[in-house]
Amino acid sequence: MSDDEVITAWGLLVEAQSETSPLLLRGVDPSGGDMSGPWFEVLIRLQRSPGNRLPMSALAREVSLSSGGFTKLADRLERQGYLARTSCPDDRRVVYAELTPAGREFADKARAQHVVLLREHVLGPLGEDGLRRLGELARILRDSSRKG
């Protein structure tokens, strides 16, 4: 594969992600508005985690935010009543981010709209086999990157 082909393939992936991501957050806010990516990522990751909670440091890493940036986002989610911080009883250095009941309800509604948009803008163009293959390829890249 030529250098140009490698650069083009990666560029297309970056462009596709950049162009598609905003479409997947349109109207995702249960009030009908758009939602920022980090807000949505935090809510969905907590919704899909056991007990709807994760250590703050792990959650910041998973959503690719600095600890300071994540703290600001967590502050906003907490002010909205969607997130609570709880201490770990076994290790006082660990603080959990946990969805509140209002946060779970909000995340459930946002997720439902997000799935509609995923089906339209990702599953529609790629089809089931294409989407499965995309997931497999993305997992390979993610896991390879984590190995260092």
Side-chain angles (χ1 to χ4, degrees):
M1 186 173 237
S2 74
D3 291 352
D4 282 342
E5 289 174 308
V6 171
I7 291 169
T8 298
W10 182 253
L12 285 169
L13 176 65
V14 170
E15 288 177 28
Q17 193 275 334
S18 177
E19 295 288 329
T20 305
S21 287
L23 299 175
L24 303 178
L25 296 172
R26 283 192 181 154
V28 168
D29 185 320
S31 68
D34 295 354
M35 186 179 290
S36 76
W39 266 64
F40 185 72
E41 276 294 311
V42 167
L43 292 172
I44 291 301
R45 287 184 186 273
L46 288 172
Q47 181 196 45
R48 296 182 60 175
S49 297
N52 299 128
R53 71 180 197 163
L54 284 169
M56 295 258 304
S57 58
L59 189 52
R61 257 190 328 275
E62 288 183 15
V63 297
S64 302
L65 289 173
S66 67
S67 61
F70 179 73
T71 297
K72 289 177 184 176
L73 176 58
D75 289 344
R76 289 194 302 269
L77 289 167
E78 194 169 33
R79 279 194 301 275
Q80 293 289 326
Y82 301 140
L83 181 141
R85 296 173 198 192
T86 57
S87 298
C88 176
D90 302 325
D91 186 346
R92 62 186 179 99
R93 296 170 295 175
V94 176
V95 176
Y96 289 101
E98 183 174 342
L99 284 180
T100 63
R104 281 191 295 278
E105 181 180 340
F106 186 86
D108 288 345
K109 290 177 182 175
R111 180 182 181 273
Q113 177 60 21
H114 184 61
V115 168
V116 168
L117 295 169
L118 281 168
R119 288 182 178 283
E120 177 182 352
H121 297 291
V122 181
L123 179 61
L126 296 179
E128 286 184 29
D129 290 339
L131 185 54
R132 283 189 186 98
R133 184 70 182 135
L134 178 64
E136 292 166 5
L137 294 171
R139 183 170 282 113
I140 290 167
L141 280 176
R142 182 201 64 195
D143 293 349
S144 173
S145 297
R146 288 180 177 173
K147 290 176 185 174

